[in-house]
Amino acid sequence: HPRGGLMKMATGRLLFSWNSFNNSLTFTLRRWASKKAGGSSRNGRKTAGKRLGLKCGNGELVAPGNVLVRQRGTVYCPGSNVGMGRDHTLFSLVDGHVKFTQVQRQALVPQRGRKWHKRPVRKFINVTELPKHHYFVLKDIVPPNL
């Protein structure tokens, strides 16, 4: 090189170096990143809550169709006057008061290595129906005044 020193020309991944002091050509293999290093993130997959859980308390007055509990699986089982939806949501079928009960399950007959129930106590949600009061008795149909 006319000015001396090192002359470097980068062609792809191969780097040529010319040393003018001892007139030698050296080849150096160098690798450059093809993409910018962005790092890795372990966050960013949080989903919105599904609002599961009890919606009515014990003794609370409910109407037909009111949701009592939203759940995954049958943590609470439907009792009297309670229906269950496809996603195991329990809802009231009549007007009444909510009542929680528990039933101890009988001992499991051992089969396939299981010695006990996953849930030895079953929890039920019941709705006790309100008494039907007949406050209004229809005696006669009165024609409207014209």
Side-chain angles (χ1 to χ4, degrees), residues 37 40 73 81 101 132:
S40 65
N81 300 320
T101 57
K132 301 284 185 199

Side-chain angles (χ1 to χ4, degrees), residues 5 12 16 30-31 33 42 45-46 49 57 63 69 84 91 110 113 122:
F16 300 102
R30 184 174 292 174
R31 186 173 182 323
R42 284 185 250 173
R45 30 179 200 282
K46 181 135 175 109
V69 63
M84 184 163 68
F91 55 91
R122 274 186 133 172

Side-chain angles (χ1 to χ4, degrees), residues 5-122:
L6 296 175
M7 178 184 76
K8 296 183 180 178
M9 299 178 293
T11 59
R13 294 182 181 160
L14 195 57
L15 190 68
F16 300 102
S17 300
W18 176 258
N19 192 343
S20 61
F21 296 113
N22 56 1
N23 292 328
S24 64
L25 181 66
T26 57
F27 298 99
T28 307
L29 186 64
R30 184 174 292 174
R31 186 173 182 323
W32 286 285
S34 58
K35 298 272 187 195
K36 181 181 174 186
S40 65
S41 172
R42 284 185 250 173
N43 302 326
R45 30 179 200 282
K46 181 135 175 109
T47 57
K50 302 300 175 206
R51 279 78 175 171
L52 301 177
L54 291 169
K55 307 299 179 190
C56 292
N58 199 15
E60 196 169 329
L61 185 64
V62 291
N66 280 17
V67 174
L68 306 175
V69 63
R70 284 186 39 84
Q71 60 187 347
R72 295 286 175 258
T74 52
V75 177
Y76 295 93
C77 298
S80 60
N81 300 320
V82 174
M84 184 163 68
R86 286 187 323 181
D87 61 346
H88 300 104
T89 296
L90 301 184
F91 55 91
S92 172
L93 296 174
V94 294
D95 282 318
H97 293 280
V98 177
K99 183 166 174 64
F100 289 87
T101 57
Q102 290 186 351
V103 175
Q104 186 74 30
R105 296 177 84 172
Q106 294 179 355
L108 180 72
V109 176
Q111 49 180 222
R112 288 182 275 153
R114 286 180 56 191
K115 295 184 176 74
W116 55 81
H117 287 288
K118 283 185 181 178
R119 294 191 182 109
V121 175
R122 274 186 133 172

